């Protein structure tokens, strides 16, 4: 068994080989240690593809990722080998929803800009329009992907006085009426929303979904928020949209690549806030994720049903 990066004690029940570093395990190290292992505990920074699975060989009984997303894992290859795959949904829903709201408020109320003004001496006498942002009251919020996290985000935004929630999914959600939220096409959502929040999974269909064509359908006053996965967004097109005024501002907790280079032009823009993928970063959430991933792994090693298994 290989545990990459996260220190969790499983040695009482099995022999453990662990990558003891906060940096991702190098592929060469993973390939060197994986042969003959019975289980693999990985993070979203670990690419698990045919090469890794071939190196593991037939002894591999279970895969467990400490993440709710699993786009770093070749699902076709896992399914071909009939290996159960565990993941960690639900336990990070609240933390990610909280961070999404915090990021939205930071962008809409220009909090990062304002804090910089305090530090660099730009705070002078009071001025009526200085550092003015936009509020949520009477706004229309569009959520792309009204799953667990999308619903949790909407529920937290509702008390701010949002006038209307729109959402787009593969299919309408039966309980969306509790918000209430209206199921619409992506084009309608983009055209009508003051805030566009991305909460959908990364799939071949959603890869690069947000590009210049998409941004051009949004209001010029719209604010774009992505706390899902970086590859959902064409960052060059986002940069153009922000610089040209096609949209007002953006907040990102995910980028491509991660970490984003410190000289990336997005980081030079005052109307773009970029965070280092900290959506689930509360101490209790990360512990819960680690424990659930371990439980998934142990269940698979015992030949039992995984507590949280990806349906392949």
């Amino acid at each position: 068994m290989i545990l990459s990066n996260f220190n969790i004690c499983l040695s009482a029940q099995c022999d453990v080989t662990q990558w003891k570093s906060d940096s991702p395990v190098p592929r060469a190290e993973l390939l060197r240690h994986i042969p003959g292992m019975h289980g693999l505990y990985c993070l979203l920074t670990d690419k698990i593809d045919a090469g890794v699975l071939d190196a593991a060989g037939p002894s591999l009984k279970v895969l467990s990722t400490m993440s709710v997303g699993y786009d770093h894992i070749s699902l076709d290859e896992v399914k071909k080998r009939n290996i159960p795959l565990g993941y960690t949904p639900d336990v990070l829903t609240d933390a990610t929803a909280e961070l999404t709201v915090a990021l939205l408020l930071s962008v809409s109320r220009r909090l990062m800009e304002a804090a910089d003004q305090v530090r660099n001496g730009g705070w002078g006498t009071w001025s009526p329009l200085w550092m003015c942002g936009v509020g949520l009251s009477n706004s229309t919020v569009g959520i792309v992907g009204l799953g667990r996290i999308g619903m949790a985000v909407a529920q937290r935004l509702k008390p701010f006085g949002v006038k209307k929630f729109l959402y787009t999914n593969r299919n309408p959600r039966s309980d969306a009426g509790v918000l209430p939220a209206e199921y619409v096409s992506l084009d309608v959502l983009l055209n009508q929303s003051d805030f566009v929040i991305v909460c959908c999974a990364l799939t071949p269909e959603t890869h690069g979904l947000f590009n210049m064509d998409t941004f051009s359908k949004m209001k010029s006053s719209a604010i774009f928020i992505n706390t899902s996965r970086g590859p959902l967004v064409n960052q060059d097109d986002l940069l153009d949209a922000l610089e040209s005024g096609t949209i007002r501002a953006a907040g990102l907790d995910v980028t491509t690549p991660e970490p984003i280079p410190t000289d990336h032009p997005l980081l030079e823009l005052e109307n773009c806030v970029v965070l280092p993928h900290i959506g689930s970063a509360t101490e209790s959430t990360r512990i819960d994720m680690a424990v659930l991933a371990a439980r998934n792994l142990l269940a698979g090693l015992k030949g039992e049903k995984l507590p949280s298994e990806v349906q392949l």
Side-chain angles (χ1 to χ4, degrees):
M1 184 190 318
I2 296 175
L3 293 94
S4 54
N5 300 359
F6 204 91
N7 184 18
I8 182 168
C9 182
L10 297 168
S11 56
Q13 301 187 52
C14 50
D15 294 327
V16 174
T17 299
Q18 180 180 355
W19 175 249
K20 296 181 179 180
S21 172
D22 285 337
S23 60
V25 57
R27 185 174 178 85
E29 284 294 303
L30 181 59
L31 292 173
R32 186 165 71 89
H33 287 286
I34 192 69
M37 293 294 176
H38 298 102
L40 174 63
Y41 182 120
C42 66
L43 305 184
L44 55 82
T45 51
D46 303 318
K47 184 174 179 58
I48 310 303
D49 56 13
V52 172
L53 298 174
D54 285 344
S59 65
L60 191 65
K61 296 180 179 180
V62 61
L63 289 169
S64 181
T65 180
M66 188 182 143
S67 61
V68 66
Y70 38 82
D71 48 276
H72 56 297
I73 298 173
S74 298
L75 298 184
D76 289 343
E77 297 295 333
V78 173
K79 184 176 182 180
K80 184 191 304 181
R81 294 165 175 79
N82 198 31
I83 301 172
L85 170 61
Y87 70 136
T88 60
D90 300 322
V91 294
L92 51 69
T93 297
D94 289 342
T96 305
E98 291 170 1
L99 187 280
T100 301
V101 173
L103 180 57
L104 185 152
L105 292 171
S106 178
V107 176
S108 65
R109 294 301 302 271
R110 303 172 63 184
L111 300 187
M112 303 294 283
E113 291 180 70
D116 285 341
Q117 291 297 311
V118 174
R119 284 191 293 266
N120 64 26
W123 184 12
T125 59
W126 185 87
S127 176
L129 298 180
W130 186 66
M131 282 290 112
C132 285
V134 294
L136 280 157
S137 182
N138 294 315
S139 68
T140 296
V141 172
I143 299 178
V144 181
L146 194 68
R148 290 181 297 269
I149 293 174
M151 180 64 83
V153 170
Q155 289 169 334
R156 285 160 173 76
L157 289 177
K158 187 176 180 180
F160 284 89
V162 173
K163 181 178 180 180
K164 181 190 296 185
F165 286 101
L166 305 176
Y167 77 100
T168 183
N169 271 356
R170 288 181 178 175
N171 298 295
R173 181 166 173 155
S174 60
D175 60 349
V178 301
L179 284 171
E182 181 183 353
Y183 178 71
V184 297
S185 68
L186 178 61
D187 282 356
V188 169
L189 184 148
L190 297 173
N191 183 257
Q192 295 186 11
S193 298
D194 300 299
F195 300 89
V196 175
I197 305 172
V198 185
C199 297
C200 61
L202 176 62
T203 66
E205 293 75 28
T206 61
H207 191 285
L209 175 63
F210 289 91
N211 50 44
M212 187 50 72
D213 178 63
T214 317
F215 294 127
S216 66
K217 295 174 181 176
M218 293 168 60
K219 295 180 179 181
S220 60
S221 58
I223 291 175
F224 175 76
I225 303 292
N226 182 20
T227 56
S228 184
R229 285 290 185 267
L232 288 161
V233 180
N234 182 315
Q235 287 179 175
D236 290 338
D237 287 356
L238 175 59
L239 176 65
D240 289 343
L242 291 169
E243 289 182 326
S244 66
T246 302
I247 62 174
R248 181 186 181 110
L252 309 173
D253 185 45
V254 287
T255 60
T256 305
E258 293 184 355
I260 192 170
T262 55
D263 61 351
H264 196 285
L266 278 174
L267 303 182
E268 300 296 322
L269 301 180
E270 290 185 342
N271 60 341
C272 185
V273 174
V274 181
L275 301 179
H277 203 151
I278 56 171
S280 63
T282 69
E283 293 176 359
S284 60
T285 298
R286 291 289 171 83
I287 291 171
D288 288 345
M289 291 171 66
V291 169
L292 179 54
R295 290 176 58 217
N296 285 332
L297 190 73
L298 291 172
L301 291 173
K302 296 174 183 177
E304 300 172 351
K305 179 176 174 57
L306 276 58
S308 293
E309 184 173 344
V310 178
Q311 299 305 309
L312 301 174

